[in-house]
Amino acid sequence: MRPIVQPLPPRNGLTASRVRAPYSIVARDFLAAVIAGQRHQHPEDDARALDKRFAAGEVRDRRGQVIAPEQILAAGVDIFFYRMPAPEPHVPFSIETVYEDSRVLVVNKPPFLATVPKGAHITETAVVRLRRATGNEELSPAHRLDRHTSGLLLFTKSREFRGAYQEMFARRAVQKTYHAVSAGPSAVAPGTVWRSRISKVPGDLQAHTVDGEANAETHVISVSGRVHVLAPHTGKTHQLRLHMCEAGVPIVNDPLYPAIRDDLMDDFTRPLGLTAYSLRFEDPVDGREREFSL
């Protein structure tokens, strides 16, 4: 087996970015265009900062070889570099540790904190915060929660175990329950099963139900007042939020369903009423039955 080559290791909690040259181009010109084209650019990420990256050997190819600013990149060549994150609003909630051992770290992620960097949310993410807090740059989420969803999130502590746990979540070998608080009174009966075909198009904030064979299934375990205990049997984007909304009981403070609400996107006083409450699985490393809950 070939050893894994890491062109640039994570630094200060951030994984190096990878970009691909679309055609033959001078390395410095290409990277300058990439940085200038960022939707969220740090005001100090200028020509001087770019030259510092090259001088420090912080622009590399897939093999880890340092790329010179005047080097001609062939079309399709990947280069790696460290982005300079733009300033972000601080999410005023902490991440609580639920469980930790030599392989995994299970935390209670607060709302408004993305799991991994994406778009405008880079440093205010669970993985970056935890890497910085623990000093462990290999910390990696085995699965993800939406930015507005709170609750249990499992991280692996080293690359040695990353694949086993990520694959476990990918093949739906984890039993999960969520607590969803409806915005109003509920007439949903325990035992109800919601099945639909959900489609989420990149660039569209909302997911939608479309015609076709069902690819999303949610079981209603219990209902107490406005609190619904839900067990998703699939993991489509926004599945629980869309199923609750289409059942006539949208989740309280949902900024996307039934309609997009810009006023709720970053209102820290009105978090989405959706919490990942429990995880249960057979450990992929030692075969033990494991269960975590809030």
Side-chain angles (χ1 to χ4, degrees), residues 86-110:
E88 301 173 41
H90 174 66
V91 177
F93 306 116
S94 60
I95 302 175
E96 300 174 356
T97 297
V98 174
Y99 174 83
E100 182 175 8
D101 61 25
S102 60
R103 296 194 299 269
V104 302
L105 171 65
V106 182
V107 302
N108 181 6
K109 184 191 82 67

Side-chain angles (χ1 to χ4, degrees), residues 6-278:
Q6 199 168 24
L8 286 170
R11 185 177 69 180
N12 198 23
L14 295 169
T15 300
S17 294
R18 181 183 67 179
V19 289
R20 178 167 295 175
Y23 44 76
S24 179
I25 187 172
V26 175
R28 189 187 185 285
D29 292 345
F30 174 53
L31 202 52
V34 168
I35 292 170
Q38 292 178 133
R39 185 176 179 184
H40 306 282
Q41 183 180 355
H42 195 289
E44 296 178 5
D45 201 356
D46 52 17
R48 183 179 178 183
L50 176 59
D51 290 335
K52 282 186 175 181
R53 287 184 178 93
F54 281 106
E58 294 177 352
V59 182
R60 303 191 183 188
D61 65 16
R62 181 180 291 276
R63 297 170 298 167
Q65 298 296 309
V66 173
I67 293 176
E70 68 279 5
Q71 184 172 330
I72 304 297
L73 303 175
V77 166
D78 290 333
I79 66 171
F80 297 77
F81 72 104
Y82 294 117
R83 291 185 186 268
M84 186 183 295
E88 301 173 41
H90 174 66
V91 177
F93 306 116
S94 60
I95 302 175
E96 300 174 356
T97 297
V98 174
Y99 174 83
E100 182 175 8
D101 61 25
S102 60
R103 296 194 299 269
V104 302
L105 171 65
V106 182
V107 302
N108 181 6
K109 184 191 82 67
F112 300 102
L113 200 65
T115 300
V116 297
K118 183 179 180 182
H121 309 286
I122 305 298
T123 58
E124 286 299 292
T125 56
V127 67
V128 172
R129 274 201 189 180
L130 287 170
R131 284 177 177 176
R132 290 178 174 181
T134 63
N136 181 1
E137 297 286 9
E138 291 193 7
L139 203 64
S140 183
H143 59 120
R144 299 185 186 186
L145 293 177
D146 290 340
R147 185 171 76 93
H148 291 98
T149 302
S150 59
L152 293 177
L153 193 56
L154 186 148
F155 288 79
T156 56
K157 297 177 67 174
S158 70
R159 284 190 294 174
E160 177 185 358
F161 303 113
R162 185 179 301 169
Y165 288 93
Q166 289 181 342
E167 194 274 335
M168 176 186 70
F169 277 93
R171 60 184 169 86
R172 313 293 179 209
V174 180
Q175 298 176 46
K176 308 175 185 177
T177 65
Y178 288 73
H179 286 190
V181 182
S182 60
S186 175
V188 175
T192 297
V193 178
W194 295 317
R195 295 185 182 91
S196 64
R197 184 168 189 82
I198 292 177
S199 174
K200 177 71 167 63
V201 177
D204 188 348
L205 295 178
Q206 294 179 316
H208 301 276
T209 295
V210 296
D211 292 335
E213 183 180 354
N215 62 1
E217 181 175 319
T218 301
H219 292 229
V220 181
I221 304 302
S222 65
V223 180
S224 178
R226 294 192 296 128
V227 179
H228 303 67
V229 179
L230 307 177
H233 283 217
T234 52
K236 304 302 290 184
T237 300
H238 298 175
Q239 174 179 320
L240 301 183
R241 298 163 71 174
L242 186 55
H243 277 171
M244 286 282 287
C245 182
E246 293 188 336
V249 284
I251 299 173
V252 67
N253 296 331
D254 195 327
L256 295 180
Y257 303 95
I260 295 174
R261 292 273 305 274
D262 290 336
D263 61 312
L264 291 176
M265 288 294 185
D266 294 291
D267 185 346
F268 299 137
T269 68
R270 295 187 289 174
L272 175 70
L274 181 62
T275 303
Y277 188 78
S278 71

